Amino acid sequence: MNKERLWNRLHELSQYGKDPIAGHTRFSFTKEERMAKDLTAKYMLEAGLEIREDAIGNLIGRKEGTMSDAPAVLIGSHLDSVPQGGMFDGPLGVLAGIEVLQSMNEREIVTDHPIEVIAFTDEEGSRFQFGLIGSKAVAGVLTEEDLQRSDQNGITLGQAMKENGFDPLRFKEAARDPKTVKGYVEVHIEQGKVLETNNLPIGVVSGIAGPLWLNWKIKGEAGHAGATPMQLRKDPLVAAAEIMQDIEEQSKKYTNAVATVGKISIKPGGVNVIPGEVEFTLDLRDIDESVRDTIEKTIVANANKICSKRKVELEVTTLQRVAPVPCSPEIREVIEHACSQSGVKAYTMPSGAGHDGMQFKDFCPIGMIFVQSKDGISHNPAEWSTK
Amino acid sequence: MNKERLWNRLHELSQYGKDPIAGHTRFSFTKEERMAKDLTAKYMLEAGLEIREDAIGNLIGRKEGTMSDAPAVLIGSHLDSVPQGGMFDGPLGVLAGIEVLQSMNEREIVTDHPIEVIAFTDEEGSRFQFGLIGSKAVAGVLTEEDLQRSDQNGITLGQAMKENGFDPLRFKEAARDPKTVKGYVEVHIEQGKVLETNNLPIGVVSGIAGPLWLNWKIKGEAGHAGATPMQLRKDPLVAAAEIMQDIEEQSKKYTNAVATVGKISIKPGGVNVIPGEVEFTLDLRDIDESVRDTIEKTIVANANKICSKRKVELEVTTLQRVAPVPCSPEIREVIEHACSQSGVKAYTMPSGAGHDGMQFKDFCPIGMIFVQSKDGISHNPAEWSTK
């Protein structure tokens, strides 16, 4: 591994898509993204890889193995960013993959299986309001409806592809036969503070947590804050407070579960008026779907008890339910073995955020390696990683 | 008492200021309020009272006593309303006062002390964003600054007085010498459900609760809902939830205390983002200031513990602090005695809402009588009372 080369490439690549205000804004199928892909293609050639772009614009660099028909090991990440994002989220995984293959080639290390580095098209979803586009196409789950999704200027994904020289009618050609893929590995910054807090260099990801989004609406009875004794109230906000406490308590019982109430609104919203209605959202995640299901069942059951005791009405609706994806025990073992050989402590942890590998749930075994995020900051110009 | 006459007058008076959409909108110093005052003056004359208007526009009807220099007993309420308010809040107290004096005159009942019925100017504060204007003037606490407060069209109270034939420079003439006042009594609808729930006709008010308004700001640390384990969070909303629970618990320990969180806001407010900052308001009331102080101290101390445990920052600021006003034990006894003589069960209860009598805290002893509010509804076209 040539650390300096990787570091320099990260900085060189970050020149494309610099946002005029702060950080990097590099959306899919834009000039900035094209330039980043072209520079990355140049790195792939320097690494001695055979390059191509598939029908959805995924940039692929391949190092052949000794068994030419053997399924390929994929290493990947993405080059697009969120608005005013950082320079590590995505590019690090692509460039680290190239660096590994270039170092292997320099040392004339040959493998049985071919290895491919992929820069996936549009992981973030910032342009078309849905992401993981390139990995969806590879897994064969991208649909014709997806191509109709449009950006804020009304340009559809299909149109954007066309403008960039891709034929939207041929997007299915990006789908790969699972038999040709051995597995998928991705290096990514953690986007949290676990590694930093514990002063650890490497996280071996146990699984990618799927978010379950629930909307909670509680109806009580608005009233005069002065003229309604506590005993006669049907206050939905105090019910919500009790539920939020329980959500925290229940999710803390499991190592990897995270539960977040990120939005709350109240009606009518006067200082001297008892609220009549409260709505809040819950983002609940775990890498184990059965754990997430158990927590969901418990908190909804407890919330119903709380609301019935307080004589307020509860309505819980599902906004989205994404299945978690466990990482392959085999790949995890390989990563842990490599760590122990290098004298690095491997720390097992979940990925709370979503990544391209999620699309390979029923496609191939996946693995992920996390590196530290300074202060846990990501999707932000201050995103940084040095370890 | 001529119940029918009182009932008919309530309905006749309610014809002035009917809101085109619903209920009644009768602001101070408007044509509608003037017409309501003129009709009320006619009732006062029918009742055999001597009428006058003071320098702030309070309409006063006086029945002389046998001791002409003796201090007067005041009975009052107001004729102005909130936007789209009901027909009982205010008018009932004025018309009930007139009815009592008219019935006394009809039965030739003579008292030692003179008795005056007062229709106070602008109790609600809907026009100039502050209320109790007439009672403030009588108590001598209305200020020149108050006269500069303007309505939504930029018309000041002083200008509105002038337009209605009052000289704003002479407003202090409305102030009365406390020596000329024996006490103040007001009949009002409860604006809550206590009497209705307990199937009681009359509430003897023990005191008027003063609202303490506090703003609570809690600063934590925003973060990725997926990538931040529960243990590493500094979530201000869960802290707020714990505090809200404690606020309810502490205030429930006291019979008359009421505590309401009526507004809450959250930043940044994304489904998948741990909140970084939460703000909410608290309206805390009790008729006993020392009880209110005790609750305030306890909840702030507990909140500081909660926030320090959760490593979030708490900042509590006072928005307003109005002193509660206890009702005179002597007047309460007189009301209770009258109830027992009439075979009516007198129920002692606080007034959570504010009333004109609050201005007489250091001026004269006060008393209040509550009657039922149907469903506890007030400040609403559905406001009703039949018992």
Side-chain angles (χ1 to χ4, degrees):
Chain A
M1 282 278 285
N2 186 331
K3 282 184 198 173
E4 203 186 331
R5 182 166 58 199
L6 175 56
W7 190 245
N8 290 341
R9 283 177 177 170
L10 259 170
H11 282 266
E12 196 179 29
L13 189 66
S14 80
Q15 301 309 308
Y16 296 128
K18 275 215 168 170
D19 189 278
I21 297 166
H24 305 81
T25 302
R26 201 186 298 127
F27 286 4
S28 59
F29 299 114
T30 59
K31 197 180 63 184
E32 295 75 29
E33 192 228 19
R34 183 68 261 167
M35 287 163 86
K37 275 185 174 165
D38 288 345
L39 181 62
T40 304
K42 179 178 151 272
Y43 298 150
M44 287 176 169
L45 289 174
E46 285 171 14
L49 309 180
E50 190 183 308
I51 63 169
R52 69 180 180 98
E53 268 184 17
D54 70 10
I56 196 74
N58 293 322
L59 171 66
I60 304 164
R62 180 174 168 112
K63 172 175 155 58
E64 285 301 337
T66 51
M67 310 188 301
S68 63
D69 282 348
V73 172
L74 309 185
I75 309 175
S77 198
H78 58 98
L79 298 176
D80 67 305
S81 79
V82 296
Q84 298 180 14
M87 58 177 269
F88 295 87
D89 180 357
L92 175 67
V94 176
L95 298 179
I98 295 171
E99 183 51 44
V100 166
L101 297 192
Q102 186 159 2
S103 294
M104 287 171 75
N105 279 341
E106 283 166 356
R107 298 187 201 181
E108 293 176 357
I109 298 172
V110 180
T111 54
D112 291 345
H113 291 266
I115 308 176
E116 295 183 13
V117 183
I118 308 190
F120 287 112
T121 294
D122 203 331
E123 188 262 359
E124 298 288 4
S126 296
R127 178 162 181 188
F128 299 102
Q129 279 38 268
F130 81 109
L132 310 176
I133 295 174
S135 46
K136 268 186 178 159
V138 168
V141 296
L142 193 73
T143 65
E144 272 160 37
E145 287 73 45
D146 289 337
L147 263 60
Q148 304 309 317
R149 301 280 289 266
S150 56
D151 68 9
Q152 59 175 9
N153 297 317
I155 297 167
T156 63
L157 170 55
Q159 286 171 322
M161 286 174 68
K162 224 172 194 166
E163 284 169 12
N164 281 266
F166 295 93
D167 181 352
L169 297 174
R170 296 175 64 183
F171 77 94
K172 287 191 178 164
E173 291 174 14
R176 292 175 75 145
D177 182 344
K179 283 181 208 136
T180 68
V181 177
K182 176 81 177 158
Y184 173 75
V185 188
E186 177 167 353
V187 173
H188 205 280
I189 55 160
E190 182 201 333
Q191 304 179 278
K193 296 201 287 191
V194 174
L195 293 175
E196 187 182 64
T197 305
N198 295 292
N199 199 25
L200 294 163
I202 293 284
V204 182
V205 176
S206 50
I208 304 173
L212 166 65
W213 286 8
L214 298 176
N215 189 71
W216 304 62
K217 187 191 273 190
I218 311 176
K219 281 186 192 170
E221 201 172 271
H224 190 297
T228 316
M230 299 306 278
Q231 290 72 16
L232 294 181
R233 295 181 177 213
K234 295 174 183 173
D235 185 335
L237 183 58
V238 198
E242 206 175 333
I243 292 168
M244 288 189 264
Q245 292 269 91
D246 185 60
I247 287 171
E248 184 190 52
E249 194 185 322
Q250 298 307 324
S251 47
K252 271 189 169 171
K253 289 183 180 167
Y254 301 88
T255 315
N256 295 323
V258 281
T260 307
V261 175
K263 288 174 83 170
I264 187 165
S265 65
I266 192 171
K267 285 182 195 167
V271 180
N272 59 351
V273 185
I274 301 162
E277 192 180 301
V278 172
E279 260 186 284
F280 63 90
T281 58
L282 172 68
D283 176 314
L284 178 65
R285 305 185 189 206
D286 197 284
I287 52 166
D288 183 339
E289 198 160 7
S290 71
V291 168
R292 196 183 69 181
D293 287 348
T294 304
I295 296 172
E296 182 191 3
K297 268 182 205 132
T298 310
I299 57 178
V300 171
N302 290 349
N304 275 310
K305 276 180 219 153
I306 289 164
C307 289
S308 125
K309 178 189 73 184
R310 290 181 172 275
K311 292 176 183 143
V312 294
E313 283 170 47
L314 174 67
E315 191 187 314
V316 182
T317 48
T318 304
L319 300 174
Q320 72 163 338
R321 186 182 296 271
V322 179
V325 180
C327 286
S328 147
E330 205 183 337
I331 296 179
R332 285 170 55 181
E333 225 168 81
V334 170
I335 298 167
E336 279 154 16
H337 181 70
C339 284
S340 85
Q341 278 196 315
S342 313
V344 168
K345 196 182 166 190
Y347 182 79
T348 303
M349 61 182 297
S351 170
H355 296 286
D356 280 308
M358 298 191 86
Q359 295 303 329
F360 301 144
K361 185 171 194 270
D362 305 311
F363 182 79
C364 71
I366 70 156
M368 281 193 82
I369 300 164
F370 274 173
V371 296
Q372 280 192 19
S373 291
K374 187 167 166 8
D375 299 326
I377 295 168
S378 185
H379 285 192
N380 187 303
E383 179 181 282
W384 201 251
S385 182
T386 50
K387 285 185 179 167
Chain B
M1 281 278 285
N2 187 331
K3 283 184 198 174
E4 205 186 328
R5 181 166 57 199
L6 175 57
W7 191 246
N8 289 341
R9 283 178 177 170
L10 259 170
H11 280 268
E12 196 180 28
L13 188 67
S14 80
Q15 300 309 305
Y16 296 129
K18 274 214 169 175
D19 189 277
I21 297 164
H24 304 82
T25 302
R26 199 187 299 128
F27 286 2
S28 60
F29 299 113
T30 59
K31 196 180 64 186
E32 296 76 27
E33 193 228 18
R34 182 68 262 168
M35 287 166 86
K37 276 186 174 164
D38 288 345
L39 182 61
T40 304
K42 180 177 152 273
Y43 298 150
M44 287 177 169
L45 289 174
E46 286 171 14
L49 309 180
E50 191 183 305
I51 62 169
R52 69 180 180 97
E53 267 185 15
D54 69 11
I56 196 74
N58 294 321
L59 171 65
I60 304 164
R62 180 176 169 111
K63 172 176 157 54
E64 285 301 338
T66 49
M67 310 191 300
S68 62
D69 282 347
V73 171
L74 309 185
I75 308 175
S77 197
H78 58 98
L79 298 176
D80 67 305
S81 80
V82 296
Q84 299 180 14
M87 58 178 267
F88 295 86
D89 180 356
L92 175 66
V94 176
L95 298 178
I98 295 171
E99 183 52 44
V100 167
L101 297 192
Q102 187 161 1
S103 294
M104 287 171 75
N105 279 340
E106 285 165 355
R107 297 187 201 177
E108 295 175 359
I109 298 172
V110 180
T111 53
D112 290 346
H113 291 267
I115 307 176
E116 295 184 13
V117 183
I118 308 190
F120 287 111
T121 294
D122 204 331
E123 188 263 359
E124 298 287 5
S126 296
R127 179 163 179 188
F128 300 101
Q129 277 43 264
F130 83 107
L132 310 177
I133 295 175
S135 45
K136 268 186 179 162
V138 168
V141 296
L142 192 73
T143 64
E144 272 160 35
E145 287 74 45
D146 289 338
L147 264 62
Q148 304 309 317
R149 301 280 290 264
S150 56
D151 68 9
Q152 59 175 8
N153 297 317
I155 297 168
T156 64
L157 170 56
Q159 286 171 320
M161 286 174 68
K162 221 170 195 168
E163 284 168 13
N164 281 266
F166 295 93
D167 181 351
L169 297 175
R170 297 175 62 182
F171 76 95
K172 286 192 179 166
E173 291 176 14
R176 291 175 74 146
D177 182 343
K179 284 181 207 136
T180 68
V181 178
K182 176 82 176 156
Y184 173 76
V185 188
E186 177 167 354
V187 174
H188 205 280
I189 55 160
E190 181 201 332
Q191 303 180 281
K193 295 201 286 190
V194 175
L195 292 174
E196 187 182 65
T197 306
N198 295 292
N199 199 25
L200 295 162
I202 292 284
V204 182
V205 176
S206 48
I208 304 173
L212 166 65
W213 285 9
L214 297 177
N215 190 70
W216 304 61
K217 187 190 272 189
I218 310 176
K219 280 187 188 167
E221 200 172 273
H224 191 297
T228 315
M230 299 307 278
Q231 291 71 16
L232 294 180
R233 294 182 177 213
K234 296 174 183 172
D235 185 335
L237 183 57
V238 198
E242 207 176 332
I243 293 168
M244 287 189 262
Q245 293 269 91
D246 185 60
I247 287 171
E248 183 190 52
E249 195 185 322
Q250 299 308 325
S251 46
K252 271 188 169 172
K253 289 182 181 167
Y254 302 88
T255 316
N256 296 322
V258 281
T260 308
V261 175
K263 288 175 84 169
I264 187 166
S265 65
I266 191 171
K267 283 181 194 166
V271 180
N272 59 351
V273 185
I274 302 163
E277 192 179 302
V278 171
E279 261 185 284
F280 65 90
T281 58
L282 172 68
D283 176 314
L284 178 65
R285 306 185 190 206
D286 196 283
I287 51 166
D288 184 338
E289 199 161 6
S290 71
V291 168
R292 197 183 70 182
D293 287 348
T294 303
I295 296 173
E296 183 192 2
K297 267 182 206 132
T298 309
I299 58 178
V300 170
N302 290 349
N304 274 311
K305 275 180 218 154
I306 289 164
C307 290
S308 124
K309 179 189 74 186
R310 291 182 172 274
K311 292 178 183 140
V312 294
E313 283 169 46
L314 174 67
E315 191 188 315
V316 182
T317 48
T318 304
L319 300 173
Q320 72 163 337
R321 186 183 296 270
V322 179
V325 180
C327 287
S328 147
E330 204 183 335
I331 296 180
R332 284 171 57 180
E333 226 168 82
V334 170
I335 299 167
E336 280 154 16
H337 182 70
C339 284
S340 84
Q341 278 196 317
S342 313
V344 168
K345 196 182 165 192
Y347 181 78
T348 303
M349 63 182 295
S351 170
H355 297 287
D356 281 307
M358 298 190 86
Q359 295 304 331
F360 301 144
K361 185 169 194 274
D362 305 311
F363 181 79
C364 70
I366 70 156
M368 281 193 82
I369 300 165
F370 273 172
V371 297
Q372 280 193 21
S373 291
K374 188 167 167 2
D375 298 327
I377 295 168
S378 184
H379 286 192
N380 188 303
E383 179 181 281
W384 200 252
S385 182
T386 49
K387 283 185 181 167

